[in-house]
Amino acid sequence: MGETEDEPLSLNLFQDLIKEWDTDHVQNNYDPTEILHKMADILEKETNVYMASDPDPFEERHPSRVDPECQLGLLLKAYFKKESLVQEVFNHYMKENYFTRAGLDQSSFNLNVSACRLVLDILPGLEIGVLNDTDGLISQLYKWVSGKLEPLCSYATGLLAVAMELNEVATEAEIREKNSKLVPEMLARLRELQDEAEKERDQARSDRFKRPFALFSKSPLKNPRRLSAEGEVDGVGKLSNGIVTINGGSGGKDQDGELVLGAGGKKETGGGGGCKKSLERSGSGTLAPGWPNGIMSPPRSSTENSSSSWAEMELNVIGHFEIFPVSLQASQIFILRLLTPLAEYQDFLSLTQGSRILEVLERYINVRETRDARLAFEALKLLASLFCHKKFTLEWVATGGLSLLMQMPRPSMAATGSSLCLYYLACDDDTMEKICSLPPHTLQDLVKYCLWLLECSHETGRQYSIMFFGLAFPFRTILDIFDASDGLRKLYNTISTLSIISDRDDDRDSMSDDQEFMQRQSVRYTTQSLKKYVEAHLAIRVEEEISSDLTRAGGSPQPPHPSYKPYRLEQEQVTEHIFTLLELMNYRGRWEPIDRLIKLGGIQLLLQVIALSYDWTYAGRAETVKCGLDVLAVCSVIPRVQLALCEKFDLPDESAVGINIVLGTAEGEIVPDSPEVQRAALLVLCHLLCGPVVRPGCVKHTATPTPSKRRGGSDRVKSSDEVINKVWECVRANNGIMALLQLMQTKAPLTDADSIRALACRALVGLARSSTATQIMSKLPIFNNGVLNMLLREPVLQDKRAEHVKFQKHAHELIEKVSGPMSRKNYENNDITLDMLHRASVVANTRIRYNNKQLLQLMHEHLVLSGLNKTAEVLKNESDFVPLVDSSGGSVPPVYPVRSMISFHPSHLNRRMISSPTPSRPISTPSRQITSIPSSRPNHTATSRQQVTTPTRPLPTTNTNRSTTSTSIPIRVNRPTRTSVPTTPTPATRSAMKTMDASDQSTSKALEQVGDTKHEVSLGSIVSDFLSSQHALCRNPMTTCPEFDLLLPHKCPDQRSRRAAPLNFTSRYSKKSLFPPYGGPDGSKLDRKLVYSRFRPVKSFRAGGDDREENVFTSCAFSGDSQFLFAGTYMGDVKMYNLQSSEETTYQCHDSYVYHVQPSRDSKLVITSSSWRTPYSKLWSVGDFFDEKKQFKDEEYLEFSCNVQDKVVGTQSDAVATIYDLHTGQLSRTLKPTSSNGYSRNRATFDPTDDLILSDGVLWDYRAPRQIHKFDKLNQTLSGVFHPNGLEIISNTEVWDIRTFHLLRTVPQLDQCQIVFNSGGEVIFGLNLEQELEDETKFETAFKTFDASDYSLIATIETKKSVLGLCSSWDDQSLAVVEQGNGECVESAVRMYDVGRLRAEEEDQEDDGEDEDGGPDDDDSDGSSDGMGGGDDNDDEYGEDLSGSGSGTPSEDDLDDPDDEVDADEVEDLDDDDGGTIADDDDSWEDIEVEEEVGGD
């Protein structure tokens, strides 16, 4: 670095020495002492050069990582590459008997000295664990230290100090024993050396007085450093007088030679900093070896010694350290280094008795006297270790040592070391209380000194000062002085000037990993300190507001908090204080500290830190984000902050809304697997959403939806209700409802799920005060299907029951806001209405009757399953009944008497054949399962065939809409009120019917409360209670009921109008003349239900060619004239089949699979879309060939307009929609939303009138064009399509009203379904999206049909093959389905179905059933009779809500049923099994197809 072209670099000299050693060390009688000294000389010279760049004194990294061009780093790398040299030094040269073992009569002392010196020089690049791993080295070092032979004693002390930094070494019993003797000796020797050094300084001071200008003499006597006779070190050439380029520490030089300080990256040409600047200097004066002649100090900002030269200032700033020959300074430094790691242990206290170690350190720290910053730095490190013990901290403050710490030269190593001591002092509250009791001027000096450290010291000095403030902010005395000194701005600048926060990519990309880490650490510590700062001010402001409030109320104010006592707040206290401030603080009141932070741009900076931390990967990321969120939580009290969080701000790569970032953090997107961060983000949302609508000093306005328009724009100060309405709207617009609902159902992480649920629910309670949000939430399934009630039952982790209680409290508040006010506070009977009271009265007056033989059957079954076979046999012999199980526990098919229609399950209303020995048609109901055996679904076909000859017991089904617990209906027939009643049995077990222990207990407790001593609990009373509870679930209960059935759920028939269309098709058809055109109300719906529950496969189209096994079909579409069928393939082809002749024509359209094909209505144009390679979409003209008309490069999806097909709308990435005119081929509209929903399967589409466009959940007016409304995102996948009626939008399960933008209903069966309407728009076909698994993509093997008028499920059609796509013909008489085989058979085909026709074998079975029954059924053979996947009639209990109303969700009075969710699944499974599938027998599709194709031809 300092060599000229005539003189070799130190690296070359060092490598030559290594080569020389490598050649000579194998010789006999080789003495490496001299060559080791030469190596050490070069290393020490470059160490001095490295130190001249003023690196961070706490720097522990390899010099090459600090400065890649550093010569010292290169030397260390060269040394450690020579492994043989390293091993030889440690294993042999540091042995005191090296020459003796070699057979030489020679002392090894000089060799040991050179080896120890060399090891001390290589310490910056040494893994210190090597010292402990080298056998016998630690013991040898202790021996040399006790020998007191210099310089070996001092070198051994220095090496022993490094070894003591290893915890396993320092805590070893033998080492502790040796240290107990060594430490007092070291303390005594340290005092001796200090006295000796002081004498030398007095002598030198006397000499300087005699020759006051000797400093400027050319004589080397002005400098006490070691010089050779020629002014250079032996074996090392003298350095030239060149200029040194300095690139270390916290600063360096820019290209113009100006000094650039690390604090904020500002250039300082005239003042302080922790580094030196190169200045031209005459080379006549000779410095010590290793020190370039061109180095001088920049003039300091203070007036002290402002005209001093670097030669005078050098010892004050960075000090000097010569270890050969050993000086007094080096010996003292080695001892201080040895004591530093040992001082942290408790044993050290007893060893310092009487040593007055603090006095010794005070003399070292007084740099004005010692003139040695290096020695002072080492003493400060020891002092910081002593501050681990409260005894020393209190004594230091009491003796006035604090002022001494603030008198360090600025800048200097000692000043950086003092920051560590101040940090350790702040760690103890008692010490800080004593500091706060010091005179005000001392505290002002302390704060100003630490603020200077924030800007001017080394990196670690800045960090220690930041941490000092973080610990000192809770003390109001320090806090007030900090604010008065403009400290917040300086603290803010420690982050704002960092390169990782910079908007310029070049600044971030040019940083090394180490620089990034250090800057991230700075951000971490600063956010921690800011958190303590705002929390301290929060405690102070709350104290003031409470006192003012008490004074206004006429009470006595609270006693003031002592200024020297800290404000310590737990997280719950912080939250409580924030809500207190929201309620008490004047809306327009000023809060100076937070206002100052806002003015500085702190809110945007913190949001930027949170957003950018997504890409940071280091251990402190979670803590950084959490502290930033905690600061925002306190600042959210201020309306300006609330509004700022609703606005967009710029990030380096994009722009984002503050609340969107907070929501993403709450969902775990920013910092995954960090529940602390999630809780912090949720708390911010709680403070924003749950604050009072009308705050003190603000008047509520009558209308608040559009405050900015009403009050003259957003520049004016808004009222509190306007602000909170904007916050609510912003949270909704950023999909907050979906995010919070998902968090409210989280189950991970296990230990924190309960607290996350509670906070998410609390935030939803605040959001539910918005009428728009309440309307949306009231239609969501979680509030209607019993899921929320299931979450309320038990905590995720039993140990977190306290958090679960909070969740229950907030959940009941949420239910009250969404479902209406509660009438009672115990949350048991909170949904009582007049209608329910009437129903309860009817139930109370109903006579409960049941078949005693059925009760005996259940008793017999219970005895058999309990192993009491003899007792069961006696019961069977004494009573004449057919057992449900035989003596071995196996199922015996019972024969049931004809039952009343009232006791039938709704889905069995039309199935008289259940009571007949030979049913007219197969019914797929699993046989009864034994409760002690895990339930499993029986073989579908086997069960069906078995029922043809032997009727099995029908599986008990439950009503998802009426399966509420009895807590909603406390009235019972002649029974005391009970808190719980057994629920309807499940298919796998009938514990609710047989096990009544819980009911007995609750009944007995109720009896004790009511005091009914005449009534005794009996089996009859239990059964009566059970049946009355079932009766209470009926929507229209009847007072006079026939005999109840114990083996099937009970349901009273629903009311029907006399003019209603009959369920039976024959009766309905005959009434068409009386009630045209459909035979009565709902006649058309029943017709659709009949037609679209029957599909008959008639023809299959398979790909031809050699690659047909790989080239599977992916999509299909009928041509406008219904003459052709288009089918897209995986390899990018489009195949066109003639429906009459089955002729196949193939066209190569894309390079990857075609997932969308759409012909125009006139069959002249065809759109194809692919997803992998550009162009993604193309427009083709269809004639004799496919002619490409236009390519759409970026449109991933394309479709025609609906009314007049003169336009196409395309979907690009980032939620952009494009509209092209087909006449001109030009782009006419580009629709880019201000904020998108980010649906993964967004597809832009026109409404039926072509006036509106829906893209990514955003509704546009094509004519304007302008953005009309953004719908709330409640799913991640589907953006939605328009209903053909033009009034509704269907987005996954949600149905939105276009006129009011209200959520009309939810249809759970449409979850993750791609929907296709038939041509008439009356029926919806639902096709489940593919499921992306780890190793494959899975498709469902069925599709669903829905009534488009009310979204009721008509049928679920099982195909036994994966369904990839479907389309309906223009006349709605045919349906094409893309099917692909599963498992080994992966054959792909497009299968055509006739709509409204049963399969051939089903028709045969139906005819056989009619013959055996003597005639047709008395009802329809539609979805309700053959069970087409839940196609129940509209008047049954399931169809009422799940199908009839289209909401797909249970009613409000079903919320408390504990078995609601399970029963709903079982009912759906039962309906699917009960004839709900077309392909439900063993016949293969191929056999059927052959028959049908031949027959069709």
Side-chain angles (χ1 to χ4, degrees), residues 542-559:
V542 168
E543 182 182 5
E544 294 173 353
E545 292 292 341
I546 291 177
S547 298
S548 300
D549 188 61
L550 291 174
T551 304
R552 286 193 298 267
S556 58
Q558 292 181 339

Side-chain angles (χ1 to χ4, degrees), residues 376-479:
F377 173 76
E378 300 295 341
L380 287 167
K381 287 175 59 179
L382 174 56
L383 183 63
S385 297
L386 291 176
F387 284 166
C388 293
H389 312 285
K390 184 179 292 188
K391 170 183 179 297
F392 292 113
T393 59
L394 295 175
E395 183 180 348
W396 182 264
V397 175
T399 56
L402 188 62
S403 299
L404 191 60
L405 293 177
M406 296 182 288
Q407 295 174 2
M408 299 294 117
R410 307 183 192 181
S412 68
M413 291 178 62
T416 304
S418 66
S419 64
L420 177 63
C421 296
L422 293 173
Y423 165 67
Y424 272 78
L425 285 174
C427 289
D428 181 57
D429 282 353
D430 293 338
T431 305
M432 283 302 298
E433 289 181 14
K434 289 187 77 68
I435 291 176
C436 291
S437 301
L438 294 175
H441 66 87
T442 303
L443 296 178
Q444 291 177 1
D445 293 341
L446 173 63
V447 172
K448 291 180 180 179
Y449 179 72
C450 292
L451 289 176
W452 175 86
L453 287 172
L454 277 180
E455 296 184 317
C456 301
S457 64
H458 296 95
E459 184 67 34
T460 51
R462 289 194 290 272
Q463 292 183 5
Y464 282 130
S465 59
I466 292 171
M467 291 189 287
F468 165 80
F469 280 122
L471 295 171
F473 281 145
F475 297 87
R476 185 167 185 176
T477 305
I478 302 292
L479 187 64

Side-chain angles (χ1 to χ4, degrees), residues 792-953:
L792 293 176
R793 289 178 195 158
E794 292 293 332
V796 178
L797 192 64
Q798 292 296 331
D799 295 341
K800 302 293 183 179
R801 188 165 290 276
E803 295 292 339
H804 184 66
V805 170
K806 296 179 183 178
F807 173 52
Q808 288 176 318
K809 174 188 173 184
H810 298 315
H812 287 304
E813 294 176 2
L814 181 61
I815 294 174
E816 180 178 358
K817 290 187 178 297
V818 173
S819 303
M822 299 182 181
S823 58
R824 295 178 58 181
K825 290 298 183 183
N826 57 7
Y827 309 114
E828 292 179 359
N829 301 317
N830 49 36
D831 52 356
I832 300 297
T833 62
L834 292 176
D835 178 62
M836 294 178 63
L837 290 174
H838 169 73
R839 286 161 50 192
S841 176
V842 172
V843 172
N845 291 282
T846 301
R847 183 184 175 186
I848 304 297
R849 296 181 296 122
Y850 54 88
N851 192 330
N852 287 328
K853 285 192 176 183
Q854 289 184 341
L855 182 59
L856 293 175
Q857 286 176 318
L858 293 173
M859 294 170 59
H860 176 268
E861 180 192 37
H862 179 71
L863 292 172
V864 171
L865 297 180
S866 301
L868 304 175
N869 294 327
K870 293 183 180 180
T871 307
E873 190 65 28
V874 172
L875 178 63
K876 176 183 176 183
N877 294 334
E878 292 184 356
S879 305
D880 184 17
F881 63 86
V882 178
L884 299 179
V885 294
D886 55 21
S887 300
S888 62
S891 176
V892 173
V895 178
Y896 301 109
V898 177
R899 296 183 294 269
S900 168
M901 288 284 290
I902 296 179
S903 293
F904 272 36
H905 182 274
S907 61
H908 297 276
L909 283 173
N910 303 323
R911 299 178 187 172
R912 291 282 180 87
M913 61 285 186
I914 292 182
S915 60
S916 174
T918 54
S920 60
R921 56 189 298 125
I923 304 170
S924 303
T925 54
S927 59
R928 177 179 176 79
Q929 300 295 318
I930 301 175
T931 57
S932 60
I933 301 175
S935 62
S936 60
R937 295 178 73 102
N939 183 274
H940 189 86
T941 306
T943 306
S944 302
R945 290 172 181 265
Q946 179 186 3
Q947 290 172 338
V948 175
T949 56
T950 307
T952 61
R953 177 180 179 182

Side-chain angles (χ1 to χ4, degrees), residues 1045-1197:
D1045 194 323
L1046 297 179
L1047 305 179
L1048 284 177
H1050 161 79
K1051 177 186 178 296
C1052 294
D1054 291 329
Q1055 297 176 351
R1056 284 182 57 83
S1057 171
R1058 291 184 179 182
R1059 300 183 58 190
L1063 301 178
N1064 180 267
F1065 176 74
T1066 304
S1067 302
R1068 189 165 65 249
Y1069 187 78
S1070 63
K1071 281 190 174 184
K1072 286 188 176 182
S1073 59
L1074 298 176
F1075 302 102
Y1078 300 109
D1082 292 333
S1084 60
K1085 177 181 176 182
L1086 293 173
D1087 289 345
R1088 288 194 298 272
K1089 203 166 194 179
L1090 170 64
V1091 172
Y1092 285 95
S1093 62
R1094 304 170 178 222
F1095 296 89
R1096 178 172 184 169
V1098 294
K1099 187 178 293 187
S1100 298
F1101 298 97
R1102 293 178 174 84
D1106 299 334
D1107 58 350
R1108 64 179 184 179
E1109 293 184 359
E1110 299 178 359
N1111 195 18
V1112 299
F1113 291 111
T1114 55
S1115 58
C1116 63
F1118 285 97
S1119 62
D1121 54 8
S1122 298
Q1123 298 296 316
F1124 296 94
L1125 177 69
F1126 297 95
T1129 66
Y1130 183 80
M1131 300 181 70
D1133 300 335
V1134 172
K1135 296 182 180 292
M1136 188 170 68
Y1137 293 96
N1138 189 310
L1139 295 179
Q1140 300 299 325
S1141 63
S1142 300
E1143 179 183 355
E1144 174 186 329
T1145 308
T1146 304
Y1147 301 98
Q1148 179 68 37
C1149 297
H1150 294 273
D1151 295 331
S1152 61
Y1153 74 91
V1154 178
Y1155 69 88
H1156 172 64
V1157 177
Q1158 183 187 12
S1160 61
R1161 285 194 294 266
D1162 58 6
S1163 301
K1164 295 182 179 179
L1165 299 173
V1166 173
I1167 286 174
T1168 59
S1169 296
S1170 178
S1171 62
W1172 286 108
R1173 294 184 180 178
T1174 57
Y1176 293 125
S1177 298
K1178 295 180 180 180
L1179 180 66
W1180 308 82
S1181 63
V1182 182
D1184 295 336
F1185 300 97
F1186 257 41
D1187 294 327
E1188 181 180 312
K1189 293 199 67 177
K1190 184 174 179 60
Q1191 294 184 354
F1192 301 87
K1193 181 179 180 181
D1194 299 319
E1195 279 70 16
E1196 299 175 354
Y1197 178 81

Side-chain angles (χ1 to χ4, degrees), residues 211 214-224 227 284-287:
R211 301 180 62 232
L215 183 66
F216 304 103
S217 171
K218 298 181 181 180
S219 171
L221 294 178
K222 69 180 181 68
N223 200 313
L227 293 175
S284 57
T286 306
L287 292 176

